[in-house]
Amino acid sequence: MERGEYMIPHDFSYFRPATLDEALDMLSEDGMIPIMGSTDVVVKLRARRLKPKGIVDLKAIEELHNFSFSKENGMVIGAAVTMNELIEDHPEVKENYPVFYQAIKKVGAYQTRNRATVAGNIGNSSPAADSVPPLLTYNAKLKLVSKEGEREVELKDFFTGPGKNILKQGEIIHSIIVPYEGPSIGMYYKLSRIKAVDLSTIGVALTVIDPDGKRDIRIALASVAPTPLRVFEAEDFIRGKELTPEVVEEFAKIVQRNTSPITDSRGTKEYRYEMAYVLPKKILRELGLYKEVS
Amino acid sequence: MVIKFTINGDEMEVDVKPNETLLDVLRNKLFVTGPKEGCGNGECGACTVIYNGKPMNSCLILAPEADGAEIFTVEGLTKDGKLHPIQEAFIEENAFQCGFCTPGFLMSAKALLERNPNPSKEEIVEALSGNLCRCTGYDTIIKAVKKAAEKMGARS
Ligand SMILES: Cc1cc2nc3c(=O)[nH]c(=O)nc-3n(C[C@H](O)[C@H](O)[C@H](O)COP(=O)(O)OP(=O)(O)OC[C@H]3O[C@@H](n4cnc5c(N)ncnc54)[C@H](O)[C@@H]3O)c2cc1C
Ligand code: FES
Ligand code: FES
């Protein structure tokens, strides 16, 4: 059989260990990479952007499929839990983390979400990763494990550049831990060239924790900087203030000022920069939190 | 490496390489050519199969990952020469022209009707959003899925 241009051009080995210990042993070797849903990895293999010596499929490891939620401990998402499982099988996600729920519903198509995982979305470390901005607004943490042991890191400290992160060879994301800080409302606004199956031109997650009480507004963006970006400066500015048109205007300007977009096939830097100002206002308006004076 | 899986209920054993995708193996080694390769990148849905009960793009699954899986393709829809109600509905509503995308649409539609026997138009659009059609347009396809739901409801 002729190997056509779409086929994966180079050889590698494949392993599917049943235990975490075996997997971590295998991954400690240079050239070995983990996969979950393989939706990013297969595309990169085909495009010759990834040439691993071996692939360690983590899907057979039982403990990575765990999901739990409680108000005391928050939500713990095992690395192997797919996005559709979060959307369809765990109503706690929609109920307690609505902005995260909206964002994962916008990832790819139904078929993609039957494979795609949040761990893979984070591991891939694209500035466009849709699950990340809402997780940043919810103060998510990662449990990382390797042969040497485990550590917990803040998601905001994980990314170091496009496709880059702090993971060491042999270290994997074991689970994503999302604290529960009270009820929240908000919106994930994703602009893309087409509605389904496209990465974002820009994504904005605006989360309001405890909307009827302390009203803590948080904001994070995708595709406007080398890494997903949470804008603490804007949050500090707006904290405790009445949402007058002037305050909201200044908030949006601070968000915009913190971005450093580039031009690529999905949009120009000028468009992204403009939208980083327009969308925060639009979201606050659509949430009914303020009205522009007419 | 030799892997085992079932295709439309039949057990199969096949020798695969890690750099082959499930779609490569189905089409080129097992001659199950219902699933098509449109983009090879998860974007068009022509390669959709029902994998352990869920629609997935077989072009994004490495062949060895499929060891132990239950795979369902368009070839499994027809029973004893009789078309499946979803197939009948696609014919009655003229929901295809060249037909390249159709096996993928049929798989997404079947999986949808199994998890939601009476979907709204929005739910149909959502479930089919990963399937592209370059010639028919989506109106007749959506109508066909609606009609299939009615036919299947009436038969059960
Ligand atoms: C058609 C299509 C549409 C898409 N649309 C979107 C979209 O709208 N929004 C979006 O954000 N993404 C999108 N993606 C990208 C992709 O689906 C997501 O990033 C997905 O969440 C990746 O998850 P996965 O489990 O498939 O990861 P994999 O492909 O298995 O892995 C991705 C990366 O993470 C690493 N990795 C995997 N598991 C771990 C782990 N446990 N610990 C550490 N590293 C790990 C891998 O080595 C690899 O580098 C799309 C992809 C396709 C093919
Ligand atoms: S060939 Fe698999 S989605 Fe296009
Ligand atoms: S009928 Fe030709 S692509 Fe859909």
Side-chain angles (χ1 to χ4, degrees):
Chain A
M1 197 81 227
E2 269 294 304
R3 291 187 65 77
E5 59 174 311
Y6 290 125
M7 294 188 175
I8 299 170
H10 89 285
D11 291 316
F12 50 84
S13 40
Y14 169 90
F15 306 96
R16 184 164 59 185
T19 68
L20 191 57
D21 284 343
E22 279 174 90
L24 295 176
D25 257 339
M26 292 170 177
L27 285 164
S28 65
E29 223 181 285
D30 269 349
M32 305 293 275
I33 63 162
I35 61 167
M36 299 293 355
S38 69
T39 59
D40 278 313
V41 165
V42 173
V43 172
K44 286 186 178 172
L45 287 170
R46 246 197 216 96
R48 303 173 161 80
R49 280 162 58 208
L50 202 59
K51 294 187 175 163
K53 203 168 85 191
I55 282 184
V56 183
D57 185 348
L58 304 177
K59 287 193 288 292
I61 302 170
E62 208 61 59
E63 69 177 277
L64 298 183
H65 289 268
N66 290 343
F67 173 92
S68 67
F69 172 78
S70 68
K71 291 194 170 160
E72 297 71 48
N73 301 321
M75 171 167 70
V76 182
I77 305 171
V81 177
T82 67
M83 293 193 183
N84 268 353
E85 285 167 354
L86 293 174
I87 293 166
E88 295 179 346
D89 303 345
H90 300 295
E92 300 98 320
V93 177
K94 183 177 182 184
E95 214 174 286
N96 300 296
Y97 305 93
V99 186
F100 173 61
Y101 172 85
Q102 290 172 30
I104 54 178
K105 271 199 96 167
K106 291 189 172 134
V107 170
Y110 191 77
Q111 291 99 315
T112 330
R113 295 191 297 272
N114 273 334
R115 308 230 356 128
T117 62
V118 178
N121 202 220
I122 296 171
N124 191 53
S125 301
S126 159
D130 283 311
S131 74
V132 172
L135 286 176
L136 288 171
T137 68
Y138 286 114
N139 284 329
K141 300 180 192 39
L142 302 175
K143 176 175 164 184
L144 308 181
V145 297
S146 71
K147 255 180 95 169
E148 275 69 56
E150 61 177 73
R151 56 176 175 153
E152 213 173 89
V153 299
E154 300 277 341
L155 180 62
K156 73 175 165 55
D157 300 327
F158 182 78
F159 305 103
T160 54
K164 296 207 171 74
N165 58 50
I166 61 167
L167 285 178
K168 302 192 184 107
Q169 176 68 42
E171 194 173 39
I172 63 158
I173 300 166
H174 176 282
S175 40
I176 297 109
I177 303 153
V178 197
Y180 179 77
E181 301 178 72
S184 61
I185 59 168
M187 198 178 282
Y188 183 67
Y189 207 103
K190 174 175 173 176
L191 286 175
S192 49
R193 295 164 303 178
I194 54 171
K195 213 163 151 195
V197 203
D198 196 11
L199 295 177
S200 68
T201 303
I202 176 172
V204 181
L206 190 142
T207 302
V208 187
I209 308 270
D210 192 10
D212 303 320
K214 66 180 190 224
R215 206 213 59 201
D216 190 355
I217 296 177
R218 300 181 187 166
I219 186 159
L221 295 87
S223 302
V224 295
T227 64
L229 179 73
R230 179 162 170 195
V231 190
F232 290 100
E233 187 193 342
E235 296 177 9
D236 292 342
F237 167 78
I238 207 164
R239 186 165 303 120
K241 291 200 173 73
E242 197 191 328
L243 299 186
T244 62
E246 294 73 32
V247 165
V248 170
E249 179 72 18
E250 184 57 21
F251 172 74
K253 283 197 173 136
I254 299 174
V255 173
Q256 182 185 42
R257 226 179 27 234
N258 276 272
T259 65
S260 49
I262 56 164
T263 296
D264 65 14
S265 59
R266 281 184 286 276
T268 62
K269 67 172 192 246
E270 290 81 6
Y271 178 71
R272 289 185 160 115
Y273 192 68
E274 183 63 18
M275 288 304 117
Y277 160 75
V278 169
L279 293 178
K281 291 210 299 188
K282 184 176 168 69
I283 295 174
L284 285 172
R285 196 168 55 234
E286 286 187 14
L287 290 172
L289 291 175
Y290 96 108
K291 282 197 186 67
E292 273 160 317
V293 274
S294 50
Chain B
M1 58 198 292
V2 176
I3 63 166
K4 278 189 201 167
F5 47 43
T6 68
I7 297 181
N8 303 322
D10 297 334
E11 285 189 22
M12 303 261 174
E13 247 188 60
V14 54
D15 195 6
V16 304
K17 290 181 20 186
N19 65 347
E20 289 175 307
T21 63
L22 174 59
L23 179 62
D24 295 338
V25 170
L26 288 175
R27 292 186 56 83
N28 301 339
K29 288 197 162 146
L30 299 172
F31 305 105
V32 177
T33 54
K36 307 274 183 267
E37 179 158 278
C39 64
N41 274 326
E43 291 172 7
C44 74
C47 66
T48 304
V49 299
I50 300 179
Y51 184 97
N52 295 334
K54 296 179 174 175
M56 295 185 190
N57 299 315
S58 60
C59 71
L60 294 186
I61 300 175
L62 296 172
E65 290 186 66
D67 190 25
E70 276 179 32
I71 297 159
F72 188 86
T73 70
V74 71
E75 282 85 352
L77 274 182
T78 308
K79 285 247 154 52
D80 306 322
K82 207 172 164 337
L83 293 179
H84 190 278
I86 306 178
Q87 290 171 304
E88 290 174 0
F90 267 63
I91 294 171
E92 289 161 18
E93 294 293 332
N94 296 312
F96 54 89
Q97 290 182 24
C98 80
F100 191 83
C101 66
T102 312
F105 272 102
L106 293 171
M107 291 300 100
S108 286
K110 177 168 191 286
L112 167 66
L113 296 176
E114 271 163 15
R115 64 182 185 271
N116 179 358
N118 191 15
S120 66
K121 185 176 172 196
E122 289 68 38
E123 287 165 334
I124 296 173
V125 169
E126 161 70 19
L128 301 182
S129 65
N131 294 84
L132 301 183
C133 174
R134 296 301 301 271
C135 25
T136 309
Y138 300 97
D139 281 355
T140 56
I141 296 176
I142 292 162
K143 276 194 201 136
V145 176
K146 232 25 249 131
K147 187 164 196 180
E150 285 158 22
K151 282 176 184 267
M152 288 165 72
R155 273 175 216 192
S156 62

